[in-house]
Amino acid sequence: MTSARPESAPADTSVRAFPAGFLWGAATAAYQIEGAVDVDGRTPSIWDTFSRTPGRTDGGDTGDRATEHYHRYRQDVRLMSELGLGAYRFSVSWPRVQPTGRGPAVERGLDFYRRLVDELLEHGIEPAVTLYHWDLPQELEDAGGWPARSTAERFADYATLVADALGDRVNLWTTLNEPWCSAFLGYGSGVHAPGRADWAAALRAAHHLNLGHGLAVEALRTALPREARIAVSLNLHEVRPLTDSATDREAARRVDAVGNRVFTGPMLNGGYPEDLLADTGHLVDWPALVHDGDLATIARPIDLLGVNYYTPAVASALPDGKAPDSAAASDAGHGDGAQSPFAGCADVLFHHAPGRRTAMGWPIDPTGLSDLLLRLHREHPGLPLMVTENGAAFDDRPTPEGAVHDPQRIDYLRGHLDAVRRAIAAGADVRGYFLWSLMDNFEWAYGYGKRFGLYYVDYATQARTAKDSARWYAEVIRRGALPDPCV
Ligand code: IFM
């Protein structure tokens, strides 16, 4: 691919154009791409431990090598530059910076991020730092993990260390990525690290992730210049009832409570929703869990809400007389036979809408994204939004000539970008879009079998090849608008 910088493009004033200044990005996460898990003082995270445990990931895949981004970051920044990215969203590996999760920073670990940020800035790409994308230092898990309150306090200390190191060069910060996954897949269904299946632990983790977020916002406000923008990225579930029956609507309400409002309630509205407390009060002692002052800390104002969206969720009530079992979890695509991650919803069934799906088995429905953005706009007026993840896995394969044709991904992206554009036209204040993902990478429990990248990675040689979607996205960025459907 040849370089296509956005500033050289004439402004596109068509109805398919995005607002001036819209931020075009791509996203990754440390454990999914860096490799180099035992260099420069890094110690194991919960994902190193989990992926090395037999049976936890497909094919026993681990992030040991991943895409070797730790050593190949210069080449990867060149790829970003070829795309014309305005911003790159990456996460910092906590065990690289603070191997025990406590105490002073390891400068060699921070130096990697200093080099990466400098390289990005030299290429005119804005760095967007996520502090936590699931790689808790194993020592902190051994001390109780997110179900323990002290982990939230440790997270704020770590936030200060990273802000002190990068705050002079990074303006866009995200505290947590998808805390729902950390709490409910990590401690509820156990299909993610650390692999515990205990709904009480998941709810405790959710509160301490909320608290960690609030404490980190305070720490970042203290350490960063005033113009820094602070966000959190939530994978909000666009929940729809299967039918309009009262029981299905009630099932959807409960999923919305434990899938969404468990985070948006305290972060954006100052408290946990009453219905969530009632639904889950038999699982956890909320009054003992939430200390005086916690809610004020969690509700510290943020500048942007990051929205990660892939597919909607369709929920129904279990038919009368049918016993609750693990069907809910497997139907939700969160691990065959695992306990449902949705604490207090064991008797809710999840359904896949008919129609096209990605290689993850996730139905493709861009209306879920526009509906979600418009709901957030209605419920939290004045809070700018940013799509911090959206994308799709497909079974990409290079042709004998070495090309990677991925028309399904282009179709997915076109539909979802158009959904963003429509939400903006209807009034939502959406400031940018980060495509997941820059390149194929370690897809957690699915290992390397699922490919989300704009760049195809040959894991044997580590060669990166631009898929057709990379060229398509570069053209969208260059024009600041969606091309005609035939492009
Ligand atoms: O790969 C993940 C990412 O780490 C978090 N959000 C969803 C992506 C696709 O499953």
Side-chain angles (χ1 to χ4, degrees), residues 78-210:
R78 275 202 304 277
L79 302 181
M80 298 174 210
S81 180
E82 287 177 10
L83 288 172
L85 292 189
Y88 171 56
R89 174 174 180 253
F90 62 94
S91 77
V92 172
S93 161
W94 190 346
R96 218 180 262 301
V97 168
Q98 223 185 5
T100 62
R102 302 179 177 81
V106 168
E107 290 303 318
R108 283 174 301 162
L110 282 172
D111 282 345
F112 167 68
Y113 299 104
R114 291 187 178 104
R115 291 193 297 272
L116 172 62
V117 165
D118 287 347
E119 192 73 15
L120 290 166
L121 293 174
E122 273 171 33
H123 285 80
I125 300 169
E126 178 172 2
V129 165
T130 298
L131 289 170
Y132 185 72
H133 197 127
W134 308 354
D135 44 359
L136 185 71
Q138 182 62 43
E139 282 209 25
L140 290 187
E141 173 59 23
D142 296 342
W146 285 109
R149 187 176 175 89
S150 54
T151 301
E153 290 152 6
R154 298 288 76 73
F155 181 60
D157 297 343
Y158 156 71
T160 299
L161 296 177
V162 181
D164 285 346
L166 303 178
D168 59 338
R169 281 161 287 182
V170 174
N171 190 43
L172 189 49
W173 295 77
T174 297
T175 55
L176 303 172
N177 183 71
E178 300 185 358
W180 184 86
C181 295
S182 300
F184 294 99
L185 300 183
Y187 297 94
S189 63
V191 301
H192 276 192
R196 292 202 235 164
D198 171 353
W199 282 327
L203 290 162
R204 295 178 63 79
H207 178 61
H208 295 137
L209 283 152
N210 279 326

Side-chain angles (χ1 to χ4, degrees), residues 77-352:
V77 172
R78 275 202 304 277
L79 302 181
M80 298 174 210
S81 180
E82 287 177 10
L83 288 172
L85 292 189
Y88 171 56
R89 174 174 180 253
F90 62 94
S91 77
V92 172
S93 161
W94 190 346
R96 218 180 262 301
V97 168
Q98 223 185 5
T100 62
R102 302 179 177 81
V106 168
E107 290 303 318
R108 283 174 301 162
L110 282 172
D111 282 345
F112 167 68
Y113 299 104
R114 291 187 178 104
R115 291 193 297 272
L116 172 62
V117 165
D118 287 347
E119 192 73 15
L120 290 166
L121 293 174
E122 273 171 33
H123 285 80
I125 300 169
E126 178 172 2
V129 165
T130 298
L131 289 170
Y132 185 72
H133 197 127
W134 308 354
D135 44 359
L136 185 71
Q138 182 62 43
E139 282 209 25
L140 290 187
E141 173 59 23
D142 296 342
W146 285 109
R149 187 176 175 89
S150 54
T151 301
E153 290 152 6
R154 298 288 76 73
F155 181 60
D157 297 343
Y158 156 71
T160 299
L161 296 177
V162 181
D164 285 346
L166 303 178
D168 59 338
R169 281 161 287 182
V170 174
N171 190 43
L172 189 49
W173 295 77
T174 297
T175 55
L176 303 172
N177 183 71
E178 300 185 358
W180 184 86
C181 295
S182 300
F184 294 99
L185 300 183
Y187 297 94
S189 63
V191 301
H192 276 192
R196 292 202 235 164
D198 171 353
W199 282 327
L203 290 162
R204 295 178 63 79
H207 178 61
H208 295 137
L209 283 152
N210 279 326
L211 183 62
H213 158 78
L215 291 169
V217 171
E218 285 179 355
L220 293 176
R221 292 271 182 233
T222 305
L224 295 174
R226 276 163 59 124
E227 57 276 14
R229 290 180 300 160
I230 301 175
V232 64
S233 287
L234 303 178
N235 56 318
L236 295 169
H237 300 76
E238 169 59 21
V239 193
R240 295 164 173 179
L242 181 67
T243 72
D244 202 34
S245 71
T247 50
D248 286 358
R249 281 189 281 119
E250 168 63 8
R253 179 202 61 71
R254 284 162 54 201
V255 172
D256 181 53
V258 77
N260 298 328
R261 290 180 287 117
V262 64
F263 298 108
T264 55
M267 286 180 184
L268 305 177
N269 296 334
Y272 286 101
E274 288 301 326
D275 60 333
L276 170 78
L277 301 181
D279 293 344
T280 57
H282 62 294
L283 295 171
V284 76
D285 182 356
W286 284 101
L289 181 60
V290 182
H291 294 194
D292 282 353
D294 284 3
L295 293 174
T297 300
I298 297 168
R300 291 273 179 260
I302 53 175
D303 305 305
L304 279 169
L305 177 63
V307 179
N308 295 2
Y309 171 85
Y310 291 87
T311 191
V314 179
S316 74
L318 198 69
D320 277 351
K322 201 172 165 206
D325 61 16
S326 58
S330 48
D331 281 2
H334 294 300
D336 287 346
Q339 164 170 282
S340 169
F342 291 92
C345 300
D347 53 348
V348 171
L349 285 177
F350 289 89
H351 307 264
H352 277 153

Side-chain angles (χ1 to χ4, degrees), residues 392 396 406 409 437-440 451-455 467 469:
D396 307 314
D406 57 345
R409 182 171 292 102
S437 180
L438 175 69
M439 58 187 148
D440 296 338
R451 294 180 175 273
F452 277 88
L454 289 172
Y455 285 87
K467 301 179 190 176
S469 57

